[in-house]
Amino acid sequence: MNKRSRFLLILVVLGVCFAFLWPSISWYMRTPKELQNLALGSLEKIKDYSNVQASADVQELKALARSNPNAALPEKFQWLEKSAAKNYKDAGESVPSPLSVRSALESYTSEAALLAAVEGRYRDEILKAKRLYNNSVKLGLDLSGGMSVIVKADLDAALAQAGDTVADPAVFREEAMAQAIETLTSRIDRFGLTEPVIRRQGEDRIYIEMPGAAETDRINSIIMGKGILNFRLVDTVATNSFMAYYNANPASTFNAAGELINPGIIPADCEVMGLYQKDSYGLDERIGYLVVKKEIALDGKHIKSADVGSDYTGRPQVNFVLDGEGTTIFGDFTTANVNESLAIVSDDKIKSYARINEPITGGQVALSGFGIDEVENIRKVLQTAWLSVPLEVESQQVVGASLGDQAISQGVNALLYGLLSVMVFMLLWYKGAGINAVVAQVLNLYIMFSVLSAFNLTLTLPSIAGMILTIGMAVDANVIIFERIKEERLLGKSRAASIAAGFSNAFWAIMDSNITTFIAAMFLSQLGTGPIQGFAVSLSIGVVSSVFTALVVSRLMFDVGTDLMKKQGISISWRVK
């Protein structure tokens, strides 16, 4: 490989690494702390925040338009100029000049369209920051603080509880685990924790990692709590009255915690719940509100089984079977409330509601009038009751935020002191050639962090330990090369010939030692778990990057000195020139 090829290769690698590292730079250095806190919240929290802020902004714009219609848009609403201009052009009208507050508002066909535009701006800004976080290097629990939990699901107990309704035990186990994970995900996300990691581990265990959350008792109650599924009667009159009030006062109906500011707007025996459906991403999306009775009409524990079927016309429907007690309760309830609506509530979210057309007294219930996607979602909701998987916390580890800060400080100091010590030694021992090793070391760390960011890997204390070890190992390649070059100079060869022979003779020695280390690191990363994996991954990345910087970057720097700076000697030792 000639000098030009090396130079172009280095530029490409540095450019690609910068693209990989950019999300981490943007998140940790360019994203304000307030925006970070919003982006780390659950999607539901982000939606609520965006809606409340947008409602407040729309009211502010309307008030400004009433007080001074010809006023210019305030600085915080300057972005509306571009949006309003587009609205006028889409409507085939000329854009008013200058654009006042009133003309900007008149560009929207309705207040709902204006609200959607303002809310979209908040949402896009926060979700953009959330994407940056997802694509950046994340801090592990030992650095950021938080809690990791391993939960064991008692599938045998769930299988025994289901009894004769199970046709295929293997399929039942898979569905039970999937339902347990989905239920935990919904609860923890609603709790508003920072990007929780929830994944299946082995056949019957669930691994949960919650950075930044140290409220152990509260989190454990959420993890261990059974799925709260029940049926409530919908108060149609109260719902219509509430929606009229909400539409007139969208910004002052709920407080920041989602509670009614004025509870008197609904009957005392009722409460307001959000009506949710699954969006295109499979997440709960609130599409409205319903006022339901506080009294539970039927508890989900009475459901024995649930599946998807079809009615006599072929339309999909959900069929579920009640036990003896549930049959009696549900028969009496539906008889007394014909033509009313019944809501299916799961974890304080209304997942669906249906009209009671006639008394249901046989214990076999069919819910129809839904699309295939809605039917499948309702079936999953009902499974929360009859696929009740007992969960047991098998192990948990809590790391305080202060301990995480201390670990970060100690890890960074160890990394810097180790790097500086190696740099000083190389400069003192190898003089000018030591500069090549210093540059190679800096680029080595740059490449390592870039790869961590590219694969969305988590930075932990063992990962930092792997980096520190890599710093010491990375100079091995440079030492071998420098010593080979010194041997060639002692034989009387020229600078160019000594450098070429030094790199050529050192190549396989470097490759052999690093390949064996890489193989060991790969086995550790595959067979190890937790801290061992983090150490192995960072070590394997460091091995590859150190070989590249030693053989390509260092060689190019030597060639630049030879060909461009026309150097004849080599500053590589106190006794060899």
Side-chain angles (χ1 to χ4, degrees):
M1 184 182 294
N2 57 36
K3 292 185 294 296
R4 179 174 296 178
S5 299
R6 290 193 189 95
F7 180 69
L8 292 176
L9 177 61
I10 293 171
L11 285 183
V12 170
V13 170
L14 294 181
V16 171
C17 287
F18 183 78
F20 289 156
L21 200 56
W22 180 247
S24 296
I25 295 174
S26 299
W27 173 257
Y28 289 105
M29 299 182 182
R30 303 178 73 247
T31 303
K33 193 67 177 178
E34 293 180 1
L35 184 56
Q36 285 186 0
N37 293 334
L38 290 171
L40 290 175
S42 66
L43 290 175
E44 186 176 332
K45 295 289 186 182
I46 293 174
K47 288 180 181 179
D48 289 341
Y49 173 84
S50 300
N51 184 264
V52 170
Q53 292 297 115
S55 299
D57 285 353
V58 168
Q59 296 304 317
E60 182 180 345
L61 282 168
K62 290 171 64 178
L64 183 60
R66 286 193 298 268
S67 62
N68 188 1
N70 298 319
L73 285 168
E75 184 177 353
K76 65 179 290 188
F77 297 116
Q78 285 295 313
W79 63 272
L80 271 175
E81 290 187 359
K82 185 176 180 180
S83 178
K86 183 178 183 301
N87 291 338
Y88 278 113
K89 290 178 181 178
D90 291 343
E93 302 177 9
S94 58
V95 181
S97 181
L99 189 69
S100 64
V101 173
R102 181 175 63 182
S103 56
L105 296 184
E106 289 175 348
S107 71
Y108 292 91
T109 56
S110 64
E111 183 175 330
L114 174 62
L115 182 65
V118 179
E119 182 180 352
R121 182 172 176 82
Y122 280 104
R123 181 181 63 249
D124 292 345
E125 182 183 21
I126 299 172
L127 291 183
K128 181 181 178 182
K130 197 177 192 72
R131 287 192 294 271
L132 283 177
Y133 172 78
N134 291 334
N135 293 322
S136 65
V137 175
K138 301 171 185 62
L139 300 180
L141 295 184
D142 50 3
L143 297 180
S144 64
M147 183 171 73
S148 64
V149 183
I150 296 179
V151 178
K152 182 180 180 182
D154 193 343
L155 298 180
D156 293 332
L159 189 59
Q161 180 181 353
D164 298 335
T165 61
V166 178
D168 188 336
V171 174
F172 176 87
R173 286 172 176 269
E174 289 297 319
E175 289 186 349
M177 283 299 292
Q179 184 62 36
I181 292 173
E182 183 174 340
T183 301
L184 285 174
T185 301
S186 175
R187 292 179 194 164
I188 295 174
D189 184 66
R190 181 165 56 88
F191 182 56
L193 297 172
T194 302
E195 289 296 320
V197 174
I198 304 173
R199 63 175 180 265
R200 184 171 177 176
Q201 191 175 76
E203 180 183 357
D204 58 356
R205 285 169 174 78
I206 302 170
Y207 176 77
I208 305 171
E209 185 175 285
M210 293 164 285
E215 299 175 71
T216 309
D217 294 337
R218 190 177 178 191
I219 294 170
N220 279 341
S221 67
I222 290 176
I223 292 174
M224 299 302 297
K226 292 185 178 294
I228 304 172
L229 186 140
N230 53 65
F231 296 82
R232 308 274 194 98
L233 183 66
V234 177
D235 190 326
T236 306
V237 175
T239 297
N240 294 334
S241 175
F242 168 78
M243 291 308 299
Y245 180 88
Y246 177 74
N247 292 331
N249 306 276
S252 58
T253 302
F254 297 100
N255 59 22
E259 301 167 341
L260 284 176
I261 295 176
N262 179 14
I265 61 177
I266 62 172
D269 63 341
C270 294
E271 61 181 312
V272 178
M273 288 187 176
L275 175 62
Y276 291 81
Q277 69 177 13
K278 292 290 184 181
D279 60 15
S280 57
Y281 299 96
L283 300 174
D284 284 335
E285 179 182 23
R286 191 180 64 237
I287 57 174
Y289 294 97
L290 291 177
V291 178
V292 299
K293 296 293 185 181
K294 292 181 179 179
E295 182 181 359
I296 295 175
L298 179 71
D299 196 286
K301 67 181 180 180
H302 296 297
I303 298 176
K304 292 176 60 179
S305 64
D307 57 34
V308 174
S310 58
D311 60 16
Y312 65 94
T313 64
R315 293 179 300 180
Q317 67 180 23
V318 181
N319 303 313
F320 62 93
V321 179
L322 300 173
D323 60 16
E325 183 182 356
T327 298
T328 302
I329 295 173
F330 201 63
D332 295 342
F333 175 78
T334 53
T335 300
N337 293 282
V338 175
N339 296 326
E340 298 290 343
S341 293
L342 186 69
I344 303 174
V345 180
S346 176
D347 281 341
D348 293 331
K349 294 180 180 180
I350 299 176
K351 297 301 183 75
S352 180
Y353 70 103
R355 187 179 180 85
I356 305 172
N357 294 318
E358 59 184 0
I360 303 172
T361 57
Q364 296 186 356
V365 185
L367 300 177
S368 58
F370 306 103
I372 185 63
D373 293 335
E374 293 174 301
V375 165
E376 184 61 29
N377 180 53
I378 294 172
R379 180 187 71 85
K380 289 182 178 179
V381 172
L382 295 177
Q383 279 181 341
T384 304
W386 71 277
L387 284 182
S388 182
V389 184
L391 301 176
E392 177 185 357
V393 175
E394 195 170 62
S395 67
Q396 70 177 29
Q397 179 182 9
V398 178
V399 180
S402 59
L403 182 60
D405 292 339
Q406 182 181 1
I408 292 175
S409 177
Q410 292 175 343
V412 170
N413 288 338
L415 194 64
L416 291 177
Y417 293 153
L419 180 62
L420 289 174
S421 300
V422 170
M423 287 179 175
V424 170
F425 173 80
M426 294 300 289
L427 290 172
L428 291 177
W429 191 258
Y430 291 105
K431 301 183 69 177
I435 297 175
N436 295 21
V438 169
V439 173
Q441 285 280 45
V442 173
L443 291 181
N444 186 38
L445 284 178
Y446 170 75
I447 294 172
M448 288 181 68
F449 277 108
S450 300
V451 175
L452 286 173
S453 183
F455 291 99
N456 299 330
L457 299 177
T458 301
L459 187 65
T460 61
L461 274 179
S463 300
I464 295 178
M467 292 181 180
I468 296 173
L469 179 60
T470 302
I471 289 174
M473 294 173 58
V475 293
D476 288 351
N478 287 286
V479 169
I480 295 172
I481 293 169
F482 295 167
E483 292 299 327
R484 291 287 189 177
I485 293 175
K486 285 163 63 175
E487 291 175 1
E488 299 299 327
R489 287 294 283 173
L490 290 173
L491 295 175
K493 292 184 179 181
S494 65
R495 172 187 169 96
S498 298
I499 292 172
F503 274 91
S504 177
N505 294 333
F507 179 82
W508 283 113
I510 294 170
M511 293 302 295
D512 289 346
S513 63
N514 282 280
I515 287 174
T516 53
T517 304
F518 182 79
I519 291 173
M522 290 304 296
F523 271 99
L524 280 176
S525 65
Q526 294 299 315
L527 301 179
T529 58
I532 296 176
Q533 250 182 346
F535 172 80
V537 169
S538 64
L539 180 60
S540 58
I541 295 171
V543 167
V544 176
S545 61
S546 63
V547 169
F548 171 78
T549 54
L551 296 179
V552 179
V553 177
S554 183
R555 177 63 185 271
L556 180 64
M557 294 181 68
F558 274 120
D559 288 343
V560 167
T562 303
D563 298 333
L564 297 183
M565 303 176 68
K566 305 299 181 182
K567 291 183 178 180
Q568 300 298 320
I570 304 178
S571 176
I572 199 169
S573 172
W574 291 97
R575 56 189 181 86
V576 178
K577 303 295 183 181

